[in-house]
Amino acid sequence: MSRPTRRLLDHARVVTMTPATGYGLIDEGALLIGGDNIEWVGHRAELPMDIIGEAERIDCGGRLLTPALIDCHTHLIYGGDRANEFEWRLQGRSYAEIAQSGGGILSSVRATRTASDEVLLASAQRRLQQWLTDGVGTLEIKSGYGLSLEHELRMLRIARRLAASSGLQVRTTLLAAHALPPEYAGRADEYIELVCREILPAAVAEGLADAVDVFCEGIGFSLAQTRRVFEAANVLGLPVKLHAEQLSDLRGTRLVAEFGGLSADHIEYSRAEDLAALAEAAGVGVLLPAAFLCLRETHMPDIAAMRACGLPMAVATDHNPGTSPCLSLRYAMNLACTLFRLTPEEALRGVTVHAAKALGLADRGQLRPGLRADLALWDAQHPAELSYWMGATPVHALWVGGEALR
Ligand code: NIG
Ligand code: FE
């Protein structure tokens, strides 16, 4: 269907997120969409008449207009669920214990390997609707429940199909080093060689991965094994990110800094000097408060240290069937505020500007001319409302690349 090349969103409270601090709020604002991009944004009284031309005018009725949100860390594609483990954990078993006895990630691996492409796609598509109703325009999806050449690539292909069928922007991350597959039990280094020599190059050859991730943890892979995967990613020109310091401090955050990686994620146990090294290396710290909540963790990420060294903080759902069955990025924003004491402004920056940076994307996350027209219009007046409401879906409209999705 053809659409007008220019559309004017008029009478909006525009949240540009362009200043380094503050929302960049414009009352009685307007924004002109030209094709896929933002052509003009500012006070409506200053709209240059000559650039409006034939634009279709949409009255925003004073609603809040923000960049479409960005969820920079999800494991959206998997077979089955793990509600049983939720019960076990509430009865006192820990995440690590369940993982060591063959449950945890490996139970999702079994369910994912045996599910057909169509079943995996349909279940992910169903979940994805929640991101749409939450004003999300871009989300990252990791593999990591396949753990073989065949099944890791299959997950990434399904992620690409999801992008095509939903209209949302999807960034894919190869997380083949998520857990040790049962057929490699006791041979972790051999599995890491398979990841580096076969899975990674095959994903690159098919254009399936935008980044590479590893679960660096006592119940995951060691720092040395993580380094090996990062080196292989480096040779192939793929940026790295890391599940780092979720349950203990293995110095993964420092390794991300050393490799100039995009982000270290979880980072509850990261020490201040490693967070500072990450900031120095222009990386991002990704906070995942829903996983923290579900695991009933008590070791808080060092937010004060992150602020002190100027580490950009992103916020994401970490949606996955084990530690974070969280279907709402705005709920993750709420948790970032209530659990980690982020300000609502930091939470919003964490799902816009800093989430874009965590994915290596310079073309979105703010409202200014030349960036993608990825926009969310909210039944809200104050930007803090996006973190404040729990369980509501105040999104009124969503545009991705100038295309109306809602
Ligand atoms: O981000 N910690 C490792 N990976 C996921 C959990 C995956 C799972 O339990 O299935 C996370 O929390
Ligand atoms: Fe994760």
Side-chain angles (χ1 to χ4, degrees):
M1 230 181 61
S2 70
R3 58 181 163 95
T5 49
R6 276 176 161 174
R7 272 177 301 174
L8 178 68
L9 308 189
D10 201 2
H11 282 295
R13 269 199 105 195
V14 182
V15 176
T16 64
M17 297 309 286
T18 47
T21 57
Y23 293 113
L25 206 57
I26 306 172
D27 265 320
E28 278 302 302
L31 183 146
L32 186 69
I33 301 175
D36 300 345
N37 291 334
I38 298 168
E39 204 170 308
W40 186 92
V41 58
H43 289 280
R44 62 185 305 277
E46 289 160 19
L47 254 170
M49 286 305 152
D50 56 313
I51 71 162
I52 304 176
E54 303 277 282
E56 175 198 358
R57 190 175 159 279
I58 297 166
D59 191 337
C60 296
R63 293 184 180 85
L64 206 62
L65 182 69
T66 70
L69 307 188
I70 299 169
D71 192 348
C72 67
H73 182 141
T74 87
H75 309 246
L76 189 76
I77 298 169
Y78 51 84
D81 65 59
R82 307 228 297 273
N84 56 346
E85 293 184 9
F86 180 62
E87 288 196 322
W88 297 341
R89 286 205 308 274
L90 288 167
Q91 287 157 8
R93 291 178 66 187
S94 75
Y95 179 59
E97 271 163 38
I98 294 169
Q100 275 149 4
S101 60
I105 294 171
L106 289 184
S107 82
S108 292
V109 170
R110 289 188 289 274
T112 303
R113 285 179 175 179
T114 50
S116 68
D117 287 11
E118 296 318 312
V119 164
L120 290 176
L121 182 67
S123 66
Q125 258 164 350
R126 187 160 29 80
R127 288 188 283 271
L128 195 61
Q129 296 313 306
Q130 303 292 327
W131 275 258
L132 274 168
T133 60
D134 236 1
V136 173
T138 300
L139 82 164
E140 183 251 23
I141 301 178
K142 299 176 194 295
S143 65
Y145 294 120
L147 309 187
S148 69
L149 176 65
E150 175 195 349
H151 290 285
E152 283 293 304
L153 297 194
R154 192 165 81 95
M155 286 189 71
L156 295 174
R157 287 188 205 110
I158 292 169
R160 292 283 195 231
R161 282 175 69 187
L162 263 178
S165 65
S166 68
L168 289 185
Q169 292 272 301
V170 171
R171 302 294 287 180
T172 54
T173 299
L174 179 73
L175 177 58
H178 193 196
L180 192 60
E183 50 288 5
Y184 278 84
R187 298 186 291 140
D189 285 333
E190 273 177 59
Y191 179 63
I192 289 295
E193 285 310 304
L194 176 80
V195 171
C196 295
R197 289 173 200 246
E198 288 183 38
I199 304 182
L200 238 160
V204 169
E206 237 186 275
L208 289 174
D210 301 313
V212 173
D213 193 349
V214 175
F215 183 25
C216 180
E217 189 56 69
I219 57 168
F221 294 95
S222 70
L223 194 67
Q225 289 160 342
T226 303
R227 175 183 290 279
R228 174 77 187 97
V229 176
F230 279 12
E231 281 164 354
N234 226 346
V235 168
L236 293 168
L238 277 185
V240 298
K241 34 180 62 238
L242 189 64
H243 282 73
E245 277 76 78
Q246 181 185 15
L247 308 168
S248 60
D249 183 10
L250 297 190
R251 314 294 304 271
T253 302
R254 189 179 57 168
L255 193 71
V256 174
E258 186 187 321
F259 277 81
L262 292 171
S263 66
D265 303 35
H266 287 290
I267 58 176
E268 280 90 340
Y269 285 82
S270 303
R271 63 185 78 180
E273 71 181 89
D274 292 356
L275 295 168
L278 186 59
E280 186 67 29
V284 175
V286 179
L287 302 170
L288 306 171
F292 180 91
L293 175 74
C294 291
L295 292 180
R296 304 178 77 221
E297 288 286 331
T298 51
H299 194 289
M300 291 275 285
D302 193 345
I303 303 295
M306 295 179 208
R307 285 184 183 131
C309 69
L311 178 66
M313 294 181 282
V315 175
T317 59
D318 191 17
H319 174 83
N320 74 73
T323 63
S324 186
C326 172
L327 296 160
S328 165
L329 183 57
R330 281 191 327 93
Y331 183 49
M333 294 166 72
N334 175 275
L335 292 175
C337 296
T338 53
L339 296 177
F340 296 165
R341 313 307 287 171
L342 258 62
T343 65
E345 184 193 318
E346 286 172 325
L348 185 55
R349 197 172 303 282
V351 297
T352 53
V353 184
H354 293 165
K357 188 168 163 58
L359 295 178
L361 299 171
D363 61 353
R364 66 198 78 181
Q366 297 179 324
L367 301 185
R368 59 181 162 83
L371 296 197
R372 287 175 56 87
D374 292 359
L375 314 160
L377 187 66
W378 306 88
D379 284 316
Q381 294 296 308
H382 193 287
E385 286 183 68
L386 303 182
S387 297
Y388 162 75
W389 296 110
M390 302 171 75
T393 53
V395 77
H396 183 80
L398 175 68
W399 293 267
V400 177
E403 196 74 48
L405 292 192
R406 270 180 71 88

